[in-house]
Amino acid sequence: MKKLVIIVVFCFVNLFCLAQDNVDDALAYQYYQQGQYQQAVVLLEKLFNKTKSDTHFELYFNTLLKLKKYDDAEKLVKKLIRQDSKNLEYGIALARIYQDKGQTEAANKLYMQVINNLPADEFKIREIANHFYGFQAYDLAISAFLQGRKILNDDKPFTYELLSIYRYKKDKNMLVQEYLNALPGMPQLLPQAESVLSTVFEDNDDYQILQSALLKRIQKEPQTEIYAKLLIWQYLQQQEYDMALRQLIAQDKRIKDDGSILFNTTGTFLDNKAYPVAIKAYEYLLTKGKENLYYLPSKVEMINAKYQQVIASQIDKKAITELAAEYQAIIDEYGKNQQTLFALKKLANLQAYYLNDHKKAEAALENILTIPGIPAAEIGQIKLELGDVYILTQQPWEAFLIYEQVAKQFENQDVGNEARYRSARLSFYQGNFTYAKSQADILKASTSQLIANDALNLSLLITDNLQSTLDSNALKMYADAEMLQFSNRPSKALAKLDSIAIAFPGNSLVDDILMAKSRIYIKTNNISNAVITLKTLTEQQATSIWADDALFTLADLYETNLKDIEQAKKLYQKLINDHPGSMYTNEARKRFRKLRGDNIGT
């Protein structure tokens, strides 16, 4: 019985001591976190003397440094080194004391002794390097990792750690070299490399670092395909699309690809409006022959690229006629069906707006509606296009009826709301301003922000310019000009817009006319006049309903067409500050942050 009592008492004493240690541990850590180092050092000394743990040593040692008790720290560390001379962390601790005391030469000597005496143990090397990293000695951590590779006689370990440090330090040269060293053995790193480099690189000079390094590697190791892939990405980032295409074609031939890589990448050319380069890419794919998987898709996309090129710039009528013939050839070869719907629609568009053959366009769209199996939403969209052509063929009543038909069939859907807006727009063209405004007012609550914004602008345009007989007459001329622009007769539309001020001096449409002219200039690729017009609007009509539209459009021109990033940033910033409620504000903020080099989404 006596023995049992002794055992029980012993257990309670142990539990009490353990509980006391836990309390001291928590309190010491709390003091340390709160910067109460005088209170923390007493408890940490007691805990370290008792446990001899690495955790308590680190906290105790750091507390002594915080209190500048260098003699106590040095005495402690030297004692530990005598007890365990192989523990490299104690050598680092002693060097830190010398460093904090300003004895830089002695500190560096000790640091290098630690690095030169690293064991041939990957885990231990990582532990020492992380120790350096812990007190922000990043260069020493790098040296430890690189020395570790020498000791292990292996360049593969520590890749992720070195990439992380180089990225943090923004050491672009070493970041590039480390990726180029790693990629042949770890090709799965390519997406990460592209993402990281795009966020770290700030200008063309940075991309030149990558390009120079890649070209040297490719010259030495032409068989390493991953370098060619990264070089193609670099050219795409720099918008050097011709060079990118050249590399893509060389790669396609070298690896005897089926064309999939080139076909998929060509979408990037189209997204960036590099239509001539995209067309060259599709032409190359067509040389692979009709039996190739990408032959027909390439043929289709090449014609579509030509179409985008036509509507984006002033191409002569001969080019448009040739393009129309290519669409017709596809229809003749494959018939009129769901698969050739894209060609039928594009051909009708060319006939209506570029070849001035409205009757053919009307007949083509009416014929499309008889093709079986076309989805209902697609039918609705085709009917809207047919309604637009009816306007061109002087059949406004037919246009109105088909718009209303689509609006009822697709009530409260985007295509239905679009039909109702086009009906309101037609009424505006005809000078029926009261009905046009009533329809626009209904659409201001549309779920589609674009339709709602267009409807709001139309409503305000009418409201603001019906205050007097002079303004009402000017608005009728403005509506005529809009109709001319809708019919793709830009020169006549511009002449009509310019004549409004002559016929009705002092009218209230100055800002609306400027915005309309800028749209025409952009559509006809007259960027210089578009910029002048938009600048006039933003500077002289700052309170206009078009002010935010004009700022965003002008910023986009500077960014996309003129490549003047600084001016684009200023305009996006002005839009964000002056028009926080604009539908363009969120997009302007994204673009501004991207141009500024913010690390978005990471």
Side-chain angles (χ1 to χ4, degrees):
M1 183 69 180
K2 187 176 181 181
K3 287 183 178 179
L4 179 62
V5 171
I6 291 171
I7 291 170
V8 170
V9 169
F10 181 75
C11 289
F12 271 116
V13 169
N14 277 345
L15 286 171
F16 176 78
C17 291
L18 183 62
Q20 184 61 45
D21 285 347
N22 287 339
V23 170
D24 288 347
D25 214 340
L27 191 58
Y29 186 72
Q30 181 181 338
Y31 284 144
Y32 185 86
Q33 287 292 96
Q34 294 175 349
Q36 296 174 270
Y37 301 119
Q38 289 289 2
Q39 293 90 329
V41 75
V42 177
L43 291 173
L44 288 169
E45 181 181 14
K46 174 185 170 184
L47 287 165
F48 174 66
N49 287 333
K50 188 170 186 177
T51 67
K52 303 298 183 184
S53 74
D54 290 341
T55 302
H56 287 136
F57 166 72
E58 190 69 28
L59 288 171
Y60 180 36
F61 175 73
N62 284 335
T63 305
L64 290 172
L65 292 186
K66 296 284 186 184
L67 293 170
K68 300 187 186 305
K69 293 187 175 183
Y70 301 125
D71 291 340
D72 290 348
E74 187 172 349
K75 183 179 177 182
L76 168 68
V77 172
K78 284 183 175 179
K79 178 182 176 182
L80 292 171
I81 290 173
R82 285 194 298 272
Q83 293 172 357
D84 184 4
S85 59
K86 293 183 179 180
N87 192 323
L88 297 178
E89 291 183 19
Y90 296 151
I92 294 173
L94 185 59
R96 287 184 64 191
I97 296 168
Y98 293 151
Q99 183 177 314
D100 279 17
K101 289 170 68 176
Q103 298 172 9
T104 306
E105 188 176 340
N108 288 338
K109 184 178 179 180
L110 274 175
Y111 284 138
M112 293 316 298
Q113 281 180 11
V114 169
I115 291 171
N116 290 330
N117 288 305
L118 288 171
D121 182 328
E122 186 175 329
F123 176 79
K124 285 289 185 183
I125 294 167
R126 185 174 281 108
E127 195 176 55
I128 293 299
N130 287 338
H131 205 72
F132 286 129
Y133 192 90
F135 60 91
Q136 300 178 352
Y138 303 119
D139 288 334
L140 290 171
I142 291 169
S143 296
F145 283 130
L146 295 179
Q147 178 67 11
R149 283 180 170 177
K150 288 181 182 178
I151 292 168
L152 297 171
N153 195 27
D154 188 351
D155 287 338
K156 293 178 183 177
F158 320 123
T159 293
Y160 291 103
E161 291 90 345
L162 285 166
L163 287 172
S164 177
I165 298 174
Y166 291 143
R167 181 182 183 183
Y168 179 80
K169 290 186 64 189
K170 288 195 173 183
D171 188 336
K172 297 161 189 174
N173 279 294
M174 290 308 299
L175 185 63
V176 164
Q177 293 301 328
E178 189 61 33
Y179 270 123
L180 296 189
N181 289 337
L183 282 170
M186 293 187 285
Q188 69 274 14
L189 270 180
L190 182 60
Q192 185 208 91
E194 292 172 350
S195 175
V196 169
L197 293 175
S198 67
T199 57
V200 172
F201 286 175
E202 297 171 302
D203 52 35
N204 288 342
D205 290 340
D206 292 339
Y207 281 100
Q208 286 303 312
I209 293 171
L210 175 61
Q211 183 177 325
S212 298
L214 276 169
L215 291 174
K216 287 178 183 176
R217 296 286 180 121
I218 290 170
Q219 190 174 15
K220 289 181 181 178
E221 306 170 49
Q223 76 285 355
T224 306
E225 197 59 43
I226 198 74
Y227 292 150
K229 290 181 180 180
L230 189 56
L231 183 61
I232 290 166
W233 173 83
Q234 186 263 332
Y235 284 135
L236 291 173
Q237 293 297 109
Q238 291 298 97
Q239 298 182 347
E240 295 180 16
Y241 300 121
D242 282 307
M243 293 298 294
L245 177 59
R246 190 179 303 174
Q247 288 294 325
L248 282 162
I249 291 174
Q251 179 190 48
D252 181 86
K253 291 177 178 177
R254 190 167 55 249
I255 66 175
K256 296 180 172 58
D257 190 46
D258 62 357
S260 59
I261 297 172
L262 178 54
F263 183 83
N264 293 328
T265 307
T266 303
T268 304
F269 301 146
L270 293 174
D271 292 341
N272 289 277
K273 301 178 181 178
Y275 302 120
V277 180
I279 291 166
K280 286 179 188 176
Y282 291 128
E283 285 173 343
Y284 168 78
L285 289 168
L286 291 178
T287 64
K288 289 179 174 286
K290 291 186 176 181
E291 67 282 355
N292 182 268
L293 177 65
Y294 294 96
Y295 180 83
L296 184 56
S298 295
K299 189 171 185 178
V300 170
E301 291 302 326
M302 181 180 72
I303 299 171
N304 284 336
K306 290 179 179 179
Y307 173 84
Q308 294 297 328
Q309 188 179 38
V310 162
I311 65 173
S313 58
Q314 290 179 307
I315 304 295
D316 60 43
K317 193 167 182 178
K318 181 184 175 184
I320 298 171
T321 303
E322 289 173 354
L323 177 57
E326 291 189 56
Y327 280 124
Q328 188 62 58
I330 288 179
I331 297 165
D332 292 342
E333 184 174 356
Y334 298 99
K336 297 177 181 179
N337 50 57
Q338 290 185 62
Q339 284 68 40
T340 58
L341 184 60
F342 74 95
L344 290 162
K345 289 170 61 179
K346 293 289 175 61
L347 178 58
N349 182 273
L350 291 176
Q351 291 167 336
Y353 299 101
Y354 297 91
L355 295 173
N356 202 30
D357 202 339
H358 301 149
K359 282 299 179 182
K360 272 192 179 179
E362 180 184 328
L365 290 169
E366 288 176 341
N367 187 263
I368 291 173
L369 294 174
T370 66
I371 297 173
I374 299 177
E378 187 71 49
I379 288 286
Q381 196 61 48
I382 292 165
K383 285 183 176 179
L384 291 184
E385 292 172 19
L386 180 57
D388 290 350
V389 173
Y390 282 148
I391 296 174
L392 300 179
T393 56
Q394 307 298 316
Q395 300 177 81
W397 182 243
E398 291 295 330
F400 180 79
L401 288 177
I402 205 166
Y403 290 149
E404 289 300 305
Q405 183 187 103
V406 175
K408 288 177 182 177
Q409 185 180 353
F410 298 94
E411 190 74 38
N412 298 322
Q413 296 179 43
D414 283 352
V415 68
N417 288 332
E418 177 64 29
R420 202 168 293 284
Y421 173 73
R422 294 194 191 194
S423 178
R425 186 184 63 187
L426 173 57
S427 297
F428 176 75
Y429 292 157
Q430 294 177 310
N432 190 350
F433 300 135
T434 303
Y435 179 77
K437 183 181 181 306
S438 67
Q439 292 295 95
D441 287 341
I442 294 170
L443 289 169
K444 286 191 292 187
S446 170
T447 54
S448 167
Q449 189 178 21
L450 189 60
I451 294 173
N453 193 64
D454 286 343
L456 175 63
N457 286 337
L458 180 58
S459 177
L460 290 173
L461 172 66
I462 296 169
T463 302
D464 292 349
N465 297 289
L466 285 180
Q467 305 304 315
S468 67
T469 303
L470 181 145
D471 290 336
S472 297
N473 289 332
L475 187 61
K476 288 176 184 176
M477 283 189 72
Y478 179 87
D480 289 341
E482 286 280 275
M483 178 64 187
L484 289 166
Q485 170 60 5
F486 172 79
S487 304
N488 203 30
R489 289 185 276 181
S491 57
K492 289 188 176 182
L494 285 170
K496 178 70 74 171
L497 289 168
D498 287 336
S499 67
I500 295 174
I502 298 170
F504 303 104
N507 69 80
S508 57
L509 281 158
V510 176
D511 55 336
D512 305 288
I513 291 169
L514 287 169
M515 195 67 205
K517 289 175 71 173
S518 73
R519 291 195 190 107
I520 295 171
Y521 289 137
I522 291 170
K523 188 174 181 181
T524 56
N525 208 31
N526 190 342
I527 303 303
S528 58
N529 273 345
V531 167
I532 293 169
T533 306
L534 288 166
K535 275 187 175 180
T536 303
L537 200 162
T538 56
E539 292 168 5
Q540 299 180 11
Q541 304 288 325
T543 59
S544 164
I545 62 169
W546 300 111
D548 58 331
D549 298 69
L551 277 170
F552 185 82
T553 306
L554 186 57
D556 180 65
L557 290 177
Y558 274 111
E559 178 187 359
T560 308
N561 297 81
L562 303 178
K563 310 299 180 187
D564 188 338
I565 302 305
E566 288 306 312
Q567 190 61 34
K569 280 163 57 179
K570 288 178 184 177
L571 290 165
Y572 285 134
Q573 185 71 69
K574 182 173 176 59
L575 173 59
I576 294 164
N577 293 338
D578 296 355
H579 304 276
S582 169
M583 67 175 287
Y584 299 106
T585 301
N586 286 338
E587 180 63 21
R589 187 174 289 110
K590 287 179 190 175
R591 294 198 186 191
F592 174 77
R593 291 179 61 201
K594 183 179 178 182
L595 294 177
R596 191 174 59 183
D598 291 7
N599 194 358
I600 301 172
T602 59

